[in-house]
Amino acid sequence: MMEYIAKKTKASQANIALVLKHEQAYINKAHENAKGDVDIDGDDLADYILSRKDVKLDELTVEGILDAEMDYLMEKGHAGYVD
């Protein structure tokens, strides 16, 4: 997945790992619904990651990494968007 994201975003492995680390922390705090799904608002997630003191990336880079990760997960059948 890291290679996939790096190809799509040109971000470094270190920056990708940093964004994914904070994303996981955010998801871990989210609550599951009755079906066991977690509904994550992309804007809230990006804002959370950008607010972390060790993140020195711009918003477009963070969103690009998150979008590329979602593309990868959707291609593999592990995630999807809820309307």
Side-chain angles (χ1 to χ4, degrees):
M1 180 171 65
M2 296 286 276
E3 289 178 25
Y4 179 94
I5 295 170
K7 266 187 185 176
K8 288 192 91 169
T9 65
K10 308 298 184 229
S12 71
Q13 295 273 337
N15 285 336
I16 295 167
L18 181 64
V19 168
L20 297 181
K21 175 186 84 167
H22 288 301
E23 176 192 32
Q24 189 61 52
Y26 182 88
I27 290 170
N28 288 345
K29 293 178 185 176
H31 298 286
E32 293 181 355
N33 64 19
K35 295 180 183 177
D37 296 331
V38 177
D39 185 25
I40 302 294
D41 180 278
D43 292 332
D44 291 344
L45 174 58
D47 290 344
Y48 172 83
I49 293 169
L50 289 165
S51 73
R52 304 297 90 191
K53 292 180 184 192
D54 58 342
V55 176
K56 307 293 184 218
L57 303 168
D58 60 75
E59 185 174 0
L60 287 175
T61 301
V62 170
E63 289 179 352
I65 291 169
L66 295 172
D67 288 345
E69 178 199 24
M70 189 62 167
D71 290 346
Y72 176 86
L73 293 173
M74 287 175 56
E75 284 179 19
K76 300 296 181 185
H78 298 297
Y81 288 106
V82 176
D83 294 328

